[in-house]
Amino acid sequence: MSETNVTSQPSQEPPKKTTIQSQNEPTCTPSDTPAPAWKANTDYTISSLVRYSGRLYQCRQAHHSLAGWEPPHVPALWATPTPCGVTKWQPQTSYQVGSKVTSGGQNYRCVQAHTSLETWEPPATPALWTKVQLIRSILVSNSKVQLGETFKVTVRLYEPEGFDVAINGLPGTTQLFQFYDFAGIHKIMVTVHRRGDFLETRSVDVQVEKPGDGAQTSKFPFIAMKSPESSSALFGIANFGDVHKEGAIYTWDFGGAGTLTTTAPSVSRSFEEYLDINEPYRVFDVRVTVSYPGQASITSARSIVAWNVYYLEKRRGFIKPTVRYDYRAFHQDKRLVAKCNIKNLEPEVLHLKKKVVQFLMEGGDEGKAQEFGSSESITLNISANSEVEYDCSIPSPIPRSSFGYAVHLGGETESGKAVRVSCYFEYRQDNNLRVIMDTRTIKSLHNMRNQPLHHGKTVFTRDEVIRHIDTIEKSQGTASVAPLGGDMTVQATAIPDVRAVRGEDLIGKPCLPDEEPPEEGMACQLTTEWAWVTIPARIVNAFKGDAILSPAGNGLIGGLLRQVSPPQAYSHSGIMTKNYYEIRHSTASEARMEDHLAGSLLGAEGTDGIDPDTLKYAWPGTITQTVQAAFNGENIREPGTTKEYRLGSFEYRSRLDQNLKLAPALVVKPDPFREAQIPSARATLHKVADAAKAVAGHYRFYAYTDAAISSGQTSYNAPDRGTSWWASKTIPTVCSSFVWAAAKAVTSPRIELEGAERITKPEELEPADVAADAQVDGETIDGLYMYDAEERRTAAEWLYSYMYNLASDRVHQAVSWLPASWAGDAPDDLGNQMVNAFASDWTGDVGDGNGHAKDSDRWRETGLGHAVSPNNILFWDPPTQIVDGVQHGLYGYAEKLVYRPETYEYRQISRWVRIQTKGTVKGTVSYRSRPVDGANVSAAAVTTIAALDGTFTLDSVPAGTYEIKAGKLINGIYIEGKLPVTVTAGSTLAVDIVLQDPPEFFREVVVRGSLRIKDDETFGDDIKTYSVYHDGIFLEPFATHAEQYHSQGHGGEIRVEVRMAFDWKFPGDLDGSINVKFFEGSSEDTDDLEDNKTVTFRVTRGATETVKVHVENSGFGGGDTGDLTLQIENKVRP
C-alpha cells in the first residue's frame, strides 16, 4: 500500500527539531507551595511568597504594601515565580531558559529569561520563545478506504526517545484499522506525551466509502473480538454473512502469536505467553485471509493491544507468577486433592515461604468475614524461568457451607520483591444450580447435544451454546433463542437452600445428589425426570465488598479514559454485594440516549443533540445485577414505559468503530495474607457493600470532572419531581465515583483511602502510585486524584470527535443518500453538548445568557479535574487495623478475575423425600480390570473409602433410588465411575463400580493438507500438488504417543518423507513434531538427502493449528523444492 502524509494542519515553515530530553529543567516553584494571603500595610522582602485570588506571587522589590497595590495591579513589585513542568502561558510570570508553556494549543520553550507582560504571548515574541513540535508526521496508508478495508496509521516524531504515542487512545506508533460502521469521515486522534513534559494532539480524517459497485455492505471480512477470559480473545467475522461461501477456509495470523486455520468464522487465541514481562503492553497485528475454492482470497487486518497485567502488578510491588490448574478438587483418602503449576517468569529465584487456606463460603450477604485457616510456613523455591507443580491438597472435611477453597502462597524474590500466588478450587460445582424451564432454551440445548460434533456431550458452556446458535441454528434458519439479547435462563427454577428452608417445605423440591439432609428422615433421591440445569456464571475470587475493574467498553468512556496520560486500560467498575454472584454498579444506556434525541432532518433525529435532561440525568444509574447478567447482558425496562434496553456494562465485545484492546478484568481486594491477619478488613468491606446498596444514583458525566458531587451532600443531586420520575432526589455518579461514594458513606469505621485528612497531600502518595502517574494538589479530596488541564483537553477533543462521528453515522443511517455536507451542524451540536456535559455539567440552555451547550465550544477551556477512574481505585491503600474509629486503606491489592462461565448440563433430577428405612450397599471399585484402593465412594450423602482390595461398604443408606459414585486421582487425573442403584429397606445391595476415563481425554488427531513438489528442469518445471490426509490417530492418558509416516515420490528423481509424532498432554492437548526430509537423485529411491527440517507445535483441545515446512535442494543443480502445508486438528475421539 502506498502511504499518504495526512496532517491536521499544514506547517507554514519546516519546524525546528527540538531536543527536549537533554534540556536541563530550570529551577522552579511548585504552584501549590504554601504561602500566606497578601495583606495591605505589610512589609515584604525580595522573594517573599504570597497568594492572591488563588495565584502564587513572589516579591520582586522590597516594599511596604498599601491598599490598591494588590499583586495583579503592580507587576513591578510582584510576579508569579517560575512554574514547574508545562503550564499555560500567563502574563506577570517569571520564566527561565527551558521553561515550558502552552499557548493557543501549541507548545513553546523559553529561550531567554524574562518576566512576561500582557502582550508578550509566545507566538508574538520569537526572541523569547521557540515553538516545539513533537509530531513530525502522521502517515495514513490510504486516506480513502472502503467499508471494512484495512489501512495503517504511522506516527513519526521529532524526538522519539522518552515520549509515549497513542493512536485513538491505544499505545504504539503504528496501528492497523478497519471502519465498518458507516461511510463518511472518521477522525483518528493522535496523542504524544511524556510525564511532566509537553503533550501534543492532532487528528486526521479518513474518508470511508461504500464499495465501488454500489453495494451497501463490505466485501472485506471485518474482524471483531470479545474477551471471555482474562488473557485470551475470541475473534470472529462481524459481517460473516457477506463474505462466507461454501468451502471457505479462514487462515488467522496473530502477528507473532501463532497462526490457525479454521472452517468456521471464529477462533480463540491467548496472547499471555507472548508478552514481555518488562513491557506494559504489546501490539499484535491480527490478519485473517478467507480463501475460496477456485476464487481469489481476501485479507483484512486490525491491531490489538494486549495489556500486560503482570507488568502492571510488578510495577505496583507484587510479582505474580503465572498459574495453571484444574479448578476441580476431588475427594480422596479423607483429603481434597488438587494441584497447581506455578511458572516463574523472572530471571531470579522465587522463595515462597508462607501459605494460608481460604474457604469459599456460600452466601455472602450475612455480614460474616471470610474464613481462613491458620497461616503456615513452607519452603518452595522456584528457579529462574522454570515451572513447578505444587500440591494444594487439604484435609477434609472442610466447613459445611463451603463449596471450595483457595490456596494462597507468599514470599519474595532473591532481590526482595514481594511474591504472591493464588489458586482457587471447587469441590462442589453444582452450588446455586437451577433447573431450566424456558422451552426455547431447552430446544436449542437438545439441538446442540444431538449435533454429530458433540457425540452426545451433556455439559456445555454459555459460549459454546452461543457459538452453536450463531453458526448452526442461524445458518439453518432454526434459531430459537437470541442469546445475546438477554438471559437464556430467565425462567430457571432455583434449587432451594437447605439452610434457609424448613425440612417439611423441601419435600418434592429439586435437590443436589449427595447433599446432606437438613434433618433426619429425609433423603435426596433420583427420579425418572431428566432436565437441563444451569450453574450461573460466577467470579470465584470476588467476595462481598471487593471492587471489580473491567476493560469492557471500547465506546464512549473506554475511549475517553484512553486519552489521559498515560492511557488507562479499565473503563468500568462495580462493587460485589454478594460473594461470587452479585454486583452493583453505576452505568448509562447509550441506546436510551439515542432514543431521546432533539431535532430532526428529513427523518434523521438528533440534529440538535440529546434531550438535556436525558443527558444530565442518565439512566439507569445505580443497578444491582447478577454476575451472569452484568457480564453477558440483560434487558431492563425503563421505569414508566414498556421499552427495554440491554445492559451489560462488564461485557467485553469490540465495537465496529474502534481498534481493539485486550486486558484481564481485575478483582481489587485486600492482600489475602493481610485479610487473614485483620478480619475487620472484610467486615468493613461488607459495610461498604451495604452502603453501595443504599446509594440511589443517576449517571452524571460531570462526575469525571468533579467526583466529589457523588458524596450526596451537594446541590448536584437530582431535583425532586415526585415519584413519577425515576431520578428524583438521586445522587450523581459514574461507575468509579459510585465506589468512592460507597466507601465514604461508611462512618463506623471512617475510611481513609489515601491520606490522613480530608485533602490528600502529595507526600502521602506511595512511590508506586506516583510511578503510575497519580497526582494530587491542594484541593484533591481523599480517594480522588488530580487530572491536569492539558490531558483533560486532549480527552475532550477525542470525545468531541467520537460524538461527531456518532452523529454523522445517525444522519447517514436515516438518509443514506444525503451528502455529508448537508448534515448541517448536527455532528457539531452533539459533540459540543456531550463534551460540555463532561467538562462543566452544561447540557442545555439554562437561561444564563450563554445559550445552549450544543452551540458552544467552551469545553475547550476546561481546567483541572478532581476525579477517580476505575484505574485509580488501584491506588487506594491497603487496610490497617481500626484505631480510634478510623481504618486507613481499603484494598491495596488486585488479582486477575477468575470467571467461571455459566454451564448447562443434561442430568437426571433428584428430589427431597421423606424416608425412615435404610439399607446397605456393598461392592468393589475397579479400573482397567484392577481393584482400586482409596477411592472415595458416596451415595445419598453417605461416604466411605475403598479398602486395599477395592471393596467398600455403605451402611445406613436411606431406602430409595440414587446415583452411587466412586472416584480417585490416578496419575494426576481424576477417574470417576457412577451408576444408578435402588436400595431396599433392611437388605444389602451388591454393586461393582468401574471407573471410566473422562471422554474429553480421548483425542483423535486428523491431519489434512497438501505437499507441493517442484522438480526444477531446464525446459519447463515439473510441479504438482499432492493431498495429504490422515485420521484415526488416537491418543489418551495411557496411550500418550502416536506417529504417522507419509512418503511421496515425484518426477522419477525426488522423494519427500514426512514423519509426524504426537504426544498427549493433560488435559487433552497434544504436542507434535513434523520432520520433513527431501531426497533428490537419479531415482525416487535415492538416499541422497538434500534437506532435513523439523518443526514443533502444540494443538489445544478442540483447536486446529496450521504447520508449514519448506525444504529444497540448494546445492549443485538445485532449484527443486517441497512445500508442506498441514492443518492439525485435535478433536474428541468418536
Side-chain angles (χ1 to χ4, degrees), residues 246-318:
E246 185 70 27
I249 299 293
Y250 299 83
T251 301
W252 301 83
D253 185 333
F254 300 103
T259 60
L260 280 174
T261 299
T262 64
T263 55
S266 61
V267 68
S268 180
R269 170 58 58 176
S270 174
F271 294 91
E272 189 172 47
E273 64 182 287
Y274 301 98
L275 300 176
D276 187 327
I277 64 171
N278 296 310
E279 296 293 338
Y281 65 88
R282 179 176 171 182
V283 178
F284 297 89
D285 293 336
V286 177
R287 287 178 168 80
V288 61
T289 299
V290 187
S291 303
Y292 307 104
Q295 298 182 35
S297 59
I298 52 176
T299 297
S300 290
R302 294 183 77 181
S303 293
I304 171 176
V305 175
W307 294 90
N308 188 357
V309 73
Y310 181 92
Y311 168 86
L312 299 176
E313 289 287 343
K314 184 177 178 178
R315 188 175 64 176
R316 295 198 56 77
F318 288 101

Side-chain angles (χ1 to χ4, degrees), residues 350 368 416 429 547 573 644 672 904 952 957 1022 1095:
L350 305 185
K368 299 178 182 177
Q429 284 85 49
S573 57
E644 291 186 341
Y904 306 86
F952 67 89
V957 179
D1022 181 7
V1095 297

Side-chain angles (χ1 to χ4, degrees), residues 111-166:
V111 294
Q112 182 175 319
H114 65 284
T115 298
S116 58
L117 300 179
E118 284 286 351
T119 59
W120 288 10
E121 293 94 343
T125 52
L128 303 179
W129 299 96
T130 183
K131 185 177 178 180
V132 178
Q133 286 187 274
L134 307 179
I135 301 174
R136 179 187 292 271
S137 62
I138 303 173
L139 303 177
V140 181
S141 60
N142 191 351
S143 59
K144 289 186 178 181
V145 295
Q146 290 187 20
L147 285 170
E149 184 178 3
T150 297
F151 64 96
K152 181 171 70 172
V153 178
T154 302
V155 179
R156 295 177 179 173
L157 306 181
Y158 283 106
E159 185 68 29
E161 292 299 324
F163 281 90
D164 294 321
V165 178

Side-chain angles (χ1 to χ4, degrees), residues 122-377:
T125 52
L128 303 179
W129 299 96
T130 183
K131 185 177 178 180
V132 178
Q133 286 187 274
L134 307 179
I135 301 174
R136 179 187 292 271
S137 62
I138 303 173
L139 303 177
V140 181
S141 60
N142 191 351
S143 59
K144 289 186 178 181
V145 295
Q146 290 187 20
L147 285 170
E149 184 178 3
T150 297
F151 64 96
K152 181 171 70 172
V153 178
T154 302
V155 179
R156 295 177 179 173
L157 306 181
Y158 283 106
E159 185 68 29
E161 292 299 324
F163 281 90
D164 294 321
V165 178
I167 307 174
N168 266 19
L170 292 184
T173 57
T174 301
Q175 297 279 349
L176 297 177
F177 288 86
Q178 288 180 287
F179 285 114
Y180 183 65
D181 46 349
F182 69 94
I185 298 294
H186 289 66
K187 291 184 179 293
I188 304 291
M189 177 74 72
V190 174
T191 305
V192 180
H193 64 90
R194 180 169 62 190
R195 179 177 174 80
D197 210 327
F198 288 121
L199 180 148
E200 183 176 334
T201 63
R202 276 197 222 170
S203 66
V204 297
D205 291 343
V206 174
Q207 177 70 44
V208 180
E209 301 175 336
K210 297 178 183 178
D213 58 5
Q216 296 297 313
T217 57
S218 173
K219 297 180 179 179
F220 300 93
F222 186 83
I223 302 173
M225 183 187 81
K226 69 175 183 174
S227 178
E229 298 178 24
S230 64
S231 59
S232 64
L234 180 63
F235 292 95
I237 305 299
N239 57 332
F240 165 68
D242 299 330
V243 300
H244 184 73
K245 299 177 182 178
E246 185 70 27
I249 299 293
Y250 299 83
T251 301
W252 301 83
D253 185 333
F254 300 103
T259 60
L260 280 174
T261 299
T262 64
T263 55
S266 61
V267 68
S268 180
R269 170 58 58 176
S270 174
F271 294 91
E272 189 172 47
E273 64 182 287
Y274 301 98
L275 300 176
D276 187 327
I277 64 171
N278 296 310
E279 296 293 338
Y281 65 88
R282 179 176 171 182
V283 178
F284 297 89
D285 293 336
V286 177
R287 287 178 168 80
V288 61
T289 299
V290 187
S291 303
Y292 307 104
Q295 298 182 35
S297 59
I298 52 176
T299 297
S300 290
R302 294 183 77 181
S303 293
I304 171 176
V305 175
W307 294 90
N308 188 357
V309 73
Y310 181 92
Y311 168 86
L312 299 176
E313 289 287 343
K314 184 177 178 178
R315 188 175 64 176
R316 295 198 56 77
F318 288 101
I319 300 297
K320 301 278 191 70
T322 59
V323 293
R324 294 186 302 108
Y325 58 94
D326 184 342
Y327 72 86
R328 296 169 297 179
F330 303 103
H331 286 284
Q332 182 170 321
D333 297 332
K334 298 183 179 181
R335 291 172 63 80
L336 284 169
V337 178
K339 60 183 180 179
C340 179
N341 285 75
I342 306 169
K343 186 173 184 179
N344 176 14
L345 304 179
E346 294 294 315
E348 59 178 330
V349 178
L350 305 185
H351 302 285
L352 295 172
K353 301 177 179 180
K354 56 184 179 180
K355 166 186 172 181
V356 67
V357 174
Q358 177 183 10
F359 298 104
L360 307 182
M361 313 299 289
E362 294 177 347
D365 55 352
E366 301 90 348
K368 299 178 182 177
Q370 289 296 301
E371 189 166 339
F372 288 86
S374 300
S375 181
E376 59 182 277
S377 299

